[in-house]
Amino acid sequence: MDFEFGSADGEFRGEVRDWLTRHLVGPYGELGGVGGPGSEHEGFPVRREWERELGAGGWIGLGWDRAHGSYGNRSATLTQQVVWAEEYARARAPGRVGHIGENLLAPTLIAYGDEAQRERFLPAIARGEELWCQGYSEPDAGSDLAGVRTAAVRDGGAYRVSGQKIWTSLAREADWCFVLARTDAGERRHRGLSFLLVPMDQPGRIEVRPIRQMSGTSEFNEVFFDGAVARGEHVVGGEGAGWRVAMGLLAWERGVSTLAQQIGFAAELAEVVGEAVARGAVRDPVLREQLLTQWAELKVMRWNALRTLGASGDAGAPSVAKLLWGGWHRRLGELAMRVRGAAAASGPGDWSARAPYELDALQRLFLFSRADTLYGGSDEIQRNILAERVLGLPRGERR
């Protein structure tokens, strides 16, 4: 698309900067940049309050009202949404705890939900009051989303959900979970799936277990459903439409949020470059070329994001975006450790103690980014999608 900022966007940018300057004070300002990948557990109570502060200012769900009326948010053009995302990242505001509801579920409800579902859930998301998690991945299914075994059985006017989900971000704090489950036991693969909205506050029916990672943190969780109740009116798109809705949701993972993500990437790259300069590593021609390559690839990612922003019908765009940023971020973590050399193997604290070991920001970057090419659909899955849906190659055998 033809993407450029106009004078109205400049005025909007000034409004955004002014609001962030006035509100990023006290405990909010002290959490600058906290809450990104590898540190999603940090400062959570304050960040949840910050979510409500954003909601009160009308900054959650910019642009929703363009298609379906107002749900408590403010009107914004696509370029203004980009301005907000860029300024938020540049201000090093706290990592968002409501991004799953705002950036994944909300667009899905607007596209596939009915008006009752939108009226029930969108205002609460826009106010920063209800948090969501995503119930997609399962053990033994890998990145094969069609291989889900979690079952949802009709029980009067509701469903009883039983099964296990894994790698579920924010599951311990979320109020709701959107769950892909099999509602027709006689169907296989993509058929017979439904997209259910399940309340997490169901003691004895939902259990959440943190997954401790090699970084020492527990951003992800296992979620066990044992007859958890989902109301019949909370099936998005109708029974059996789960695959279509789930695929639509995954497409929302590209877009405005990727531009803000890239600003965070740029800050991390600047830190790695600063480390290289301080240690004299830039005198190594190989490392210097690798740093330059990271910079150039980040520019390409931005241009690609702008090229596809607001576009529809491009089956390969989400997969290309995921391949670009996942591989780039993982290589940045590896490069950070090469810049450090042998010093990368020592921590800021004493690692001989049995207590959880302390890591600095670049060490967390390296460890956490090992997962970037796996979560959200592995690189292998993305390449299969491009091969089949873009190049028209024969589909691989599925079991």
Side-chain angles (χ1 to χ4, degrees):
M1 64 175 293
D2 183 15
F3 186 95
E4 61 181 48
F5 296 109
S7 58
D9 298 319
E11 296 174 3
F12 185 74
R13 191 180 296 275
E15 180 185 355
V16 170
R17 287 182 178 177
D18 177 67
W19 191 91
L20 289 171
T21 299
R22 287 186 290 106
H23 288 79
L24 279 174
V25 295
Y28 302 144
E30 294 170 3
L31 288 179
V34 169
S39 62
E40 289 184 355
H41 62 290
E42 296 181 7
F44 194 90
V46 175
R47 287 163 55 214
R48 179 147 197 178
E49 286 299 319
W50 171 246
E51 200 72 15
R52 297 187 179 97
E53 187 84 0
L54 291 172
W59 297 111
I60 300 177
L62 298 182
W64 289 352
D65 55 345
R66 297 176 67 195
H68 289 283
S70 177
Y71 296 101
N73 54 308
R74 66 173 70 198
S75 176
T77 65
L78 189 57
T79 52
Q80 288 171 339
Q81 293 171 51
V82 173
V83 166
W84 164 255
E86 289 181 339
E87 292 302 320
Y88 189 92
R90 287 196 180 101
R92 292 187 58 77
R96 295 287 307 280
V97 299
H99 60 94
I100 294 176
E102 178 185 11
N103 298 324
L104 296 183
L105 179 67
T108 303
L109 289 179
I110 290 173
Y112 301 100
D114 58 39
E115 190 56 32
Q117 292 167 349
R118 290 191 284 264
E119 289 288 350
R120 164 59 186 86
F121 294 109
L122 292 184
I125 295 173
R127 292 192 300 267
E129 293 177 354
E130 290 185 343
L131 303 184
W132 287 80
C133 61
Q134 180 179 27
Y136 272 20
S137 299
E138 295 189 5
D140 302 323
S143 292
D144 182 13
L145 189 57
V148 298
R149 298 180 181 177
T150 296
V153 179
R154 270 283 188 180
D155 182 10
Y159 290 86
R160 293 284 183 173
V161 182
S162 298
Q164 180 185 356
K165 299 293 181 177
I166 198 168
W167 309 120
T168 309
S169 299
L170 297 178
R172 283 177 290 174
E173 295 84 10
D175 304 294
W176 289 80
C177 181
F178 49 88
V179 178
L180 189 64
R182 195 164 297 281
T183 48
D184 188 339
E187 295 284 1
R188 297 180 65 252
R189 301 294 300 166
H190 310 84
R191 299 181 178 178
L193 298 173
S194 296
F195 189 99
L196 298 93
L197 309 179
V198 182
M200 291 293 287
D201 186 14
Q202 300 191 48
R205 293 174 176 169
I206 298 180
E207 180 185 0
V208 179
R209 299 178 188 173
I211 301 174
R212 183 180 171 89
Q213 299 151 217
M214 60 182 176
S215 60
T217 59
S218 303
E219 282 80 14
F220 303 118
N221 305 270
E222 295 177 283
V223 182
F224 297 85
F225 299 94
D226 185 9
V229 177
R231 293 169 58 177
E233 61 267 32
H234 290 167
V235 180
V236 179
E239 185 175 309
W243 184 256
R244 180 172 64 94
V245 176
M247 291 300 98
L249 182 144
L250 291 176
W252 297 117
E253 290 186 309
R254 83 182 196 275
V256 171
S257 61
T258 64
L259 292 166
Q261 177 193 53
Q262 290 161 20
I263 293 174
F265 285 172
E268 291 175 336
L269 176 59
E271 187 173 355
V272 174
V273 171
E275 186 88 0
V277 171
R279 292 180 178 273
V282 289
R283 291 193 293 269
D284 182 330
V286 175
L287 281 176
R288 190 166 61 244
E289 181 178 354
Q290 290 172 338
L291 289 167
L292 179 59
T293 298
Q294 290 290 136
W295 175 85
E297 289 177 345
L298 185 58
K299 293 293 184 183
V300 171
M301 276 196 286
R302 175 174 174 78
W303 292 330
N304 181 68
L306 292 175
R307 178 183 65 85
T308 60
L309 192 62
S312 60
D314 186 345
S319 294
V320 169
K322 177 60 170 62
L323 286 169
L324 286 175
W325 72 255
W328 185 93
H329 203 219
R330 180 169 175 170
R331 291 192 297 276
L332 181 66
E334 294 167 348
L335 182 56
M337 296 301 97
R338 285 197 291 273
V339 164
R340 284 247 178 111
S346 62
D350 181 10
W351 283 3
S352 64
R354 295 179 62 86
Y357 48 81
E358 182 182 359
L359 300 170
D360 61 31
L362 292 184
Q363 289 169 328
R364 286 197 303 270
L365 166 66
F366 168 70
L367 292 176
F368 191 89
S369 63
R370 309 305 294 169
D372 280 337
T373 55
L374 298 174
Y375 68 81
S378 69
D379 279 9
E380 291 78 8
I381 292 294
Q382 305 306 329
R383 293 190 177 100
N384 277 347
I385 292 172
L386 291 172
E388 296 169 3
R389 302 182 189 177
V390 178
L391 300 179
L393 298 178
R395 290 176 60 85
E397 182 179 351
R398 264 68 163 182
R399 295 183 178 180

